[in-house]
Amino acid sequence: MMVNCCGLLTAYKEQVPLKSVVVELEVRDHVATVVSTLNYENKEDKPLEAVFVFPLPGDAAVCHFSATIGKTQVVAEVKEKQKARDEYDDALSSGQRAFLLEESEQSPDVFSLSVGSLPPGESASIRLEYVTELAVQADDGLRFCLPAVLNPRYQPQDSEGPSVQVTSVPASLVPYSLSFSARVSSPRPVSKVESNCPLDTLQYLNTEQTQATVKLAAGHKFDRDVELLIYYKDAHQPSAVVEAGQTSAKPGTLMGDPVVMLSLYPEFPQAVMSSASCGEFVFLLDRSGSMGCPTNNSKQQETRIGSARDTLLLLLKSLPMGCYFNIYSFGSSYEHIFPNSVEYNQKTMVKALKKVKEMKADLGGTELLKPLKHIYSQPCIQSQPRQLFVFTDGEVGNTKEVIDLVKSNSGSHRCFSFGIGEGASSALINGLAKEGGGHAQFITGTDRMQPKVMQSLRFALQPSVADISVTWDLPKGVSVTVLSPPITAVFQGQRSLIYGQLTGQSSEAAEGCVTVKYSLAGHPSQNQLHFSLKPAEDNGLTVHRLAARTLIRSLEMEERERRGEQDGGVKKKVVELSVQSGVSSAFTAFIAVNKGNGEAIQGPLVRRNVPTPDISMRVSTEPQQPPRDPFLQLISVQKASGCWVLDPALAAAMGKTSEEVESPKPASVNQEVWATILALIWLHGFKMDAREEWELLAMKAVSWLRAQNAACVAECVEAGNALLGCKVQKEALGL
């Protein structure tokens, strides 16, 4: 029991200077600008240095940092990292107030903010601004996430460098409040905004409903990430935004020239989209201790590992016959079910499922690099494209190394990633999918993992797109420098963003055109977008900053690849670009020093680490498994070929006795055909809400039935409906 003696205390009875956090979000189409204000107060009788470590989206571009102490405001500048640190230390030792904001060496989604020399009784307000692209979800929603949590990073045993120490306190004791508001505008109407936290009603600002505001309901406890999903009508329109350069910057530089941002949504012809029936599917599952935690705060029974086991069951039942697969699991060490990927059939499927059933969250930390290296060391299988699925709830201390490894193997596989639960690192999850040419999904709050994973399996079964090229057609005198890395993956309905710097002069009415060509399963295809070169009105410099961030991230990766050759040229380029655009990078930091009135602040500095909420409350023992869901029970007895067998387990899943299920079978029909039709009727009759979870395995069952050329299908459907009390039409089953 904590005694609340004076002000706010951490679990260690130290006072915490962070009082409140105010976040204002501005979303324009699919780009967000976020302004956070952190208010500190030193309630101690000696000067304080507070260190606050906090997460930001992995691909955020931090572009403004300022501090107000009393009545004085100091705006930070971006400087080379060591220079900034030296300046900060000098300022503190000479008794001046200083602030330093820097990105973690290991992962681009963790920042640490040092608030130096805050005199007793003084308040400081820190304003931080960043821009980020919003990812498109499986249901076309755009996802913005304000991370509340920084789970302790897991540092691999042999890694170097100090890891930032974060004290965690239970969410109920988080000593600061949060207020959060968003303003959304788009050329298309905003149809709805949803969140995992209670929101006030959406307020439209105009009759076209293209502008709206929404607020987080009062009293939000910072006990989870705040996730916002924004839906537009007709979201999948390709679009282009041209943004004017900064008037004070030199023409010919990135900030001085106009920049165009293209968002493309390729549509593929239906004929080519019939699912592939081959591939090597490698599933990599996190079994670190935290996977034993509940999936969310409300439903205590289901654990993350339990949900992952159910998901693997659905995946294994949905794979096409004739493909190859393997399952790895990892923690501090890793295990695999088969020494190499094996052909998918009844025998290998049963063996894998038996092993999956026994999997527990008992492998310690989160060492992702070693199993990945092992997987990549296995030779690829001729004409079976490799598809890697990574499931993790955590953070790794060596995010950049892991992502670099995936990138260097991107020519031979696609990587699909799943962040499970609060606090999964967005830099890790998005980075794996981006560099591995796959798709990233986040499973938080009360989301079920299964529909999101099956969506990614559908992507993985799409034929892969080859020979992607982008060509520009611009008026005479205008040229483009593409700032984005080349597009390596294109999926049906998934967005690709391209940034380009436009140099030269054109008339007001001029138009540009961009063409994306690719080949899909051997068929050449193309999409085209015409756009006006006239800059959009008042966009701030959001697009320029995102373009600079894209270029900075590519250069940082190049620098890591060339670490052997120390010419320092790439690093120098990053520092120049970061300073010029005011966007953070791995090699720079924001530094603000308040020279003040020259009076030194008296007394030795006391350092305080500000706690961040720990909402996982590490669970060591797994809660009791809830009784098996009849849906999963039914799925678990399906055969690899897609059919079901008439046995007591199938009857029990449908809530019947063996006798009840066997007697209505038409005499001329074999038992497997009857059992398979019954299972399909049960799914269509009772589980339509979960259709996306069983659609692929039902398609497999229908293919199996067609191959049997069975007579009296209509009679079976009629008898099955009568038995189960359903009204499912034969056509609805696809028969």
Side-chain angles (χ1 to χ4, degrees):
M1 180 63 196
M2 268 175 50
V3 186
N4 199 357
C5 39
C6 49
L8 302 157
L9 304 173
T10 67
Y12 306 101
K13 300 210 170 19
E14 291 172 345
Q15 281 171 318
V16 177
L18 183 65
K19 291 269 296 185
S20 65
V21 181
V22 178
V23 178
E24 295 158 286
L25 167 69
E26 167 123 21
V27 177
R28 287 172 190 252
D29 218 0
H30 51 248
V31 168
T33 303
V34 185
V35 179
S36 299
T37 309
L38 308 165
N39 296 308
Y40 288 86
E41 190 177 344
N42 182 4
K43 292 196 162 179
E44 303 200 14
D45 51 11
K46 40 194 174 300
L48 264 191
E49 178 187 14
V51 177
F52 185 50
V53 176
F54 55 95
L56 288 179
D59 49 7
V62 176
C63 52
H64 171 91
F65 170 52
S66 58
T68 306
I69 303 178
K71 295 192 167 52
T72 322
Q73 191 198 24
V74 209
V75 177
E77 293 171 68
V78 176
K79 298 196 175 170
E80 191 277 322
K81 202 173 247 184
Q82 199 46 56
K83 216 192 240 162
R85 285 175 179 167
D86 294 346
E87 234 177 86
Y88 177 77
D89 292 341
D90 291 350
L92 292 198
S93 54
S94 62
Q96 292 166 328
R97 294 160 204 167
F99 302 85
L100 179 74
L101 177 73
E102 55 183 322
E103 194 178 289
S104 140
E105 302 282 339
Q106 286 86 18
S107 181
D109 62 346
V110 178
F111 281 78
S112 69
L113 169 63
S114 307
V115 179
S117 287
L118 199 51
E122 189 81 86
S123 299
S125 159
I126 289 180
R127 183 185 160 102
L128 174 77
E129 193 175 316
Y130 65 88
V131 286
T132 182
E133 296 157 1
L134 301 184
V136 185
Q137 299 303 286
D139 63 357
D140 296 345
L142 293 174
R143 176 178 186 270
F144 169 76
C145 181
L146 179 70
V149 178
L150 192 61
N151 283 347
R153 296 254 146 176
Y154 180 75
Q155 282 291 108
Q157 252 87 51
D158 45 11
S159 80
E160 292 164 18
S163 103
V164 182
Q165 284 308 305
V166 182
T167 32
S168 289
V169 297
S172 57
L173 302 177
V174 171
Y176 43 90
S177 62
L178 167 77
S179 80
F180 175 84
S181 60
R183 182 189 167 110
V184 181
S185 59
S186 164
R188 294 172 283 283
V190 180
S191 47
K192 60 179 176 175
V193 176
E194 293 175 349
S195 176
N196 59 334
C197 302
L199 296 176
D200 290 345
T201 332
L202 187 68
Q203 305 284 332
Y204 286 108
L205 303 179
N206 60 1
T207 46
E208 301 81 46
Q209 302 196 336
T210 55
Q211 294 187 359
T213 58
V214 69
K215 279 193 176 69
L216 198 57
H220 172 75
K221 281 269 173 271
F222 223 160
D223 58 349
R224 60 193 118 155
D225 294 357
V226 178
E227 188 180 51
L228 219 56
L229 292 165
I230 298 157
Y231 296 86
Y232 298 126
K233 291 202 172 75
D234 314 320
H236 282 287
Q237 301 302 317
S239 63
V241 177
V242 176
E243 185 179 82
Q246 207 172 4
T247 40
S248 57
K250 219 167 72 214
T253 62
L254 171 61
M255 297 309 282
D257 281 344
V259 168
V260 59
M261 173 175 73
L262 302 171
S263 46
L264 305 166
Y265 291 91
E267 288 298 328
F268 299 158
Q270 212 34 60
V272 192
M273 289 307 299
S274 53
S275 352
S277 56
C278 61
E280 177 198 3
F281 295 88
V282 181
F283 304 109
L284 180 53
L285 175 66
D286 187 342
R287 280 172 56 193
S288 58
S290 54
M291 285 289 287
C293 297
T295 315
N296 64 62
N297 298 347
S298 58
K299 204 169 79 180
Q300 285 304 311
Q301 293 87 355
E302 171 122 281
T303 58
R304 294 171 182 179
I305 190 83
S307 181
R309 283 193 298 252
D310 292 346
T311 304
L312 280 171
L313 164 72
L314 282 175
L315 281 167
L316 286 175
K317 297 290 179 173
S318 303
L319 291 180
M321 289 293 274
C323 73
Y324 283 72
F325 80 105
N326 202 354
I327 298 174
Y328 287 74
S329 53
F330 69 97
S332 306
S333 58
Y334 68 91
E335 298 173 1
H336 41 68
I337 292 184
F338 306 103
N340 316 83
S341 292
V342 293
E343 192 174 336
Y344 173 77
N345 55 37
Q346 183 62 19
K347 196 173 141 209
T348 53
M349 180 190 82
V350 169
K351 181 174 179 183
L353 281 172
K354 190 165 172 267
K355 290 269 199 250
V356 166
K357 230 179 181 155
E358 296 159 3
M359 286 183 176
K360 291 190 167 57
D362 55 3
L363 290 184
T366 314
E367 285 267 19
L368 185 51
L369 204 59
K370 289 182 178 136
L372 278 177
K373 281 182 172 163
H374 178 82
I375 290 166
Y376 294 140
S377 73
Q378 306 273 328
C380 289
I381 302 163
Q382 188 64 42
S383 70
Q384 299 279 357
R386 181 172 284 171
Q387 316 272 5
L388 176 63
F389 284 64
V390 181
F391 298 86
T392 178
D393 70 341
E395 314 262 0
V396 293
N398 52 353
T399 305
K400 290 179 180 173
E401 236 183 306
V402 168
I403 291 171
D404 289 349
L405 178 66
V406 171
K407 184 183 181 183
S408 60
N409 287 279
S410 60
S412 61
H413 81 309
R414 291 196 281 191
C415 179
F416 296 85
S417 56
F418 305 89
I420 303 166
E422 310 286 351
S425 160
S426 62
L428 176 67
I429 304 303
N430 288 329
L432 288 173
K434 190 172 178 184
E435 298 306 335
H439 187 68
Q441 302 261 24
F442 289 86
I443 297 134
T444 55
T446 53
D447 289 354
R448 277 172 62 74
M449 194 187 299
Q450 291 81 357
K452 293 198 168 184
V453 175
M454 299 315 284
Q455 160 83 34
S456 291
L457 179 59
R458 280 188 199 89
F459 278 150
L461 289 166
Q462 283 181 18
S464 77
V465 174
D467 309 325
I468 305 171
S469 69
V470 177
T471 47
W472 298 73
D473 184 11
L474 297 167
K476 205 169 166 6
V478 180
S479 61
V480 64
T481 307
V482 178
L483 307 169
S484 308
I487 300 177
T488 52
V490 176
F491 293 113
Q492 170 75 8
Q494 200 190 9
R495 183 188 69 199
S496 301
L497 283 180
I498 303 175
Y499 294 95
Q501 175 182 344
L502 299 167
T503 308
Q505 287 298 313
S506 67
S507 69
E508 276 289 273
E511 253 207 343
C513 172
V514 71
T515 309
V516 182
K517 292 185 178 163
Y518 47 88
S519 104
L520 181 69
H523 299 258
S525 201
Q526 68 169 41
N527 295 93
Q528 217 169 39
L529 174 67
H530 290 266
F531 61 94
S532 156
L533 290 176
K534 186 179 181 220
E537 294 307 305
D538 165 50
N539 240 27
L541 286 166
T542 311
V543 173
H544 279 74
R545 284 169 177 151
L546 286 170
R549 195 277 332 266
T550 302
L551 189 52
I552 285 169
R553 290 281 182 252
S554 306
L555 288 168
E556 285 172 349
M557 198 166 247
E558 192 183 319
E559 210 274 336
R560 294 201 294 278
E561 283 165 6
R562 295 167 54 167
R563 204 153 255 170
E565 321 151 31
Q566 287 301 329
D567 66 341
V570 179
K571 183 172 175 177
K572 188 167 163 246
K573 227 185 204 163
V574 171
V575 171
E576 270 172 27
L577 187 58
S578 175
V579 169
Q580 185 205 342
S581 62
V583 167
S584 63
S585 76
F587 308 127
T588 51
F590 281 91
I591 171 79
V593 176
N594 178 17
K595 304 290 190 283
N597 51 10
E599 283 175 34
I601 290 159
Q602 299 306 314
L605 266 189
V606 184
R607 179 160 173 150
R608 291 278 181 266
N609 287 336
V610 179
T612 53
D614 174 23
I615 56 166
S616 54
M617 292 283 91
R618 307 276 161 214
V619 177
S620 50
T621 56
E622 260 192 65
Q624 280 304 299
Q625 278 303 308
R628 197 73 191 273
D629 171 359
F631 166 57
L632 293 171
Q633 229 172 318
L634 180 93
I635 304 287
S636 65
V637 293
Q638 186 189 23
K639 298 278 180 237
S641 62
C643 74
W644 273 266
V645 191
L646 202 55
D647 67 4
L650 175 69
M654 297 192 289
K656 303 283 178 199
T657 64
S658 298
E659 171 53 25
E660 285 174 313
V661 170
E662 283 163 26
S663 59
K665 179 181 82 68
S668 58
V669 173
N670 87 28
Q671 296 202 336
E672 290 183 357
V673 169
W674 170 240
T676 305
I677 289 175
L678 276 183
L680 286 171
I681 292 174
W682 190 90
L683 288 171
H684 281 267
F686 300 107
K687 276 288 162 195
M688 277 311 268
D689 58 336
R691 180 170 191 156
E692 45 198 354
E693 300 180 30
W694 52 259
E695 204 164 24
L696 289 171
L697 57 89
M699 276 160 58
K700 200 157 73 158
V702 170
S703 304
W704 179 86
L705 278 168
R706 287 196 185 128
Q708 307 309 304
N709 273 328
C712 26
V713 168
E715 197 185 334
C716 288
V717 173
E718 204 177 315
N721 273 323
L723 170 68
L724 297 171
C726 296
K727 293 193 173 82
V728 180
Q729 301 291 315
K730 185 176 110 177
E731 293 68 34
L733 297 174
L735 295 169

